[in-house]
């Protein structure tokens, strides 16, 4: 006994391409879409798919929601840690800048001491040059007086020699 098989919908091929018989329909350009007869089958399948999707969602959704919540908490914690890290970095930079400022103040004190020493040396040199200028002026004045005295002495000697020179007597 053979079980009756429902005939395939129009335009659907059955069997292999080698076993096509003369009475079997083939798909052509003018044939109807193969989806037309399957609409009723999909409604039952859609319900099954919806039930399967619902089952998958009910099975995995709580875990996914917990994972999502855990990721959100981790993200919030990460943001808090990043903020804290930025604050610590800014404190570290402030400490470094304070060290740099302290080094600058130390260097400024050192250079201030150098400037004070240079100023003292300049004042001493100014005093020495003033004294040397006064001494040079006194020496120059002394030389000029001595030269003047020598010139006056020569003139006196020249006048004396002139007076001592014999003069011819006048004839009268």
């Amino acid at each position: 006994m053979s079980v009756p098989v429902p005939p395939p919908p129009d335009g659907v091929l059955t069997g292999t391409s080698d076993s096509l018989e003369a009475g079997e329909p083939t798909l052509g350009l003018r044939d109807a879409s193969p989806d037309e007869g399957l609409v009723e089958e999909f409604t039952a399948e859609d319900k099954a798919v919806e039930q399967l999707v619902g089952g998958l969602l009910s099975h995995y959704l709580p875990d996914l929601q917990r994972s999502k919540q855990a990721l959100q908490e981790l993200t919030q914690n990460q943001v808090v840690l990043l903020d804290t890290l930025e604050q610590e970095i800014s404190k570290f930079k402030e400490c470094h800048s304070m060290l740099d400022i302290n080094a600058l103040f130390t260097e400024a004190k050192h250079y201030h001491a150098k400037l004070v020493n240079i100023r003292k040396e300049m004042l001493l040199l100014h005093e020495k040059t003033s004294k040397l200028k006064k001494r040079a002026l006194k020496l120059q004045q002394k030389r000029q007086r001595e030269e003047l005295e020598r010139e006056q002495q020569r003139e006196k000697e020249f006048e004396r020699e002139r007076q001592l020179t014999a003069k011819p007597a006048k004839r009268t």
Side-chain angles (χ1 to χ4, degrees):
M1 283 190 132
S2 67
V3 177
V5 178
D10 287 340
V12 177
L13 291 176
T14 57
T16 62
S17 61
D18 296 322
S19 67
L20 284 179
E21 298 177 7
E24 294 181 352
T26 58
L27 284 177
L29 294 175
R30 295 187 187 141
D31 291 335
S33 170
D35 292 338
E36 284 180 11
L38 300 176
V39 174
E40 294 173 3
E41 293 177 21
F42 280 125
T43 57
E45 288 179 11
D46 284 344
K47 290 179 184 176
V49 168
E50 285 179 22
Q51 288 177 350
L52 287 173
V53 168
L56 281 173
L57 284 177
S58 66
H59 180 53
Y60 288 110
L61 191 60
D63 289 338
L64 290 174
Q65 287 175 340
R66 281 193 299 267
S67 297
K68 181 181 178 182
Q69 183 65 30
L71 284 174
Q72 287 175 342
E73 288 178 17
L74 286 174
T75 305
Q76 288 174 349
N77 290 340
Q78 191 176 24
V79 168
V80 169
L81 284 174
L82 285 174
D83 288 341
T84 306
L85 185 62
E86 286 177 7
Q87 290 172 357
E88 292 299 319
I89 287 172
S90 65
K91 287 179 186 177
F92 185 71
K93 285 181 181 178
E94 284 179 21
C95 288
H96 266 305
S97 65
M98 292 299 285
L99 291 176
D100 292 342
I101 290 172
N102 287 337
L104 286 175
F105 276 119
T106 303
E107 193 174 352
K109 286 179 185 177
H110 173 72
Y111 284 118
H112 182 267
K114 276 188 170 184
L115 285 173
V116 168
N117 286 338
I118 289 172
R119 185 171 182 211
K120 285 180 185 177
E121 287 180 24
M122 287 179 68
L123 288 174
L124 287 175
L125 289 174
H126 177 70
E127 287 178 17
K128 285 182 181 180
T129 54
S130 297
K131 287 179 183 178
L132 286 174
K133 283 181 183 178
K134 285 181 185 178
R135 185 174 175 207
L137 182 63
K138 285 180 183 178
L139 287 174
Q140 186 179 10
Q141 288 174 349
K142 185 178 176 183
R143 240 185 261 133
Q144 285 176 349
R145 271 184 278 161
E146 287 175 357
E147 221 174 280
L148 184 63
E149 286 175 7
R150 274 189 241 134
E151 187 65 37
Q152 287 175 351
Q153 187 70 26
R154 270 189 256 146
E155 284 181 16
K156 282 182 185 177
E157 285 179 21
F158 180 71
E159 186 64 34
R160 191 170 163 225
E161 261 185 56
R162 197 175 59 105
Q163 286 179 358
L164 290 177
T165 315
K167 296 181 185 171
K170 290 186 184 179
R171 293 186 192 170
T172 34

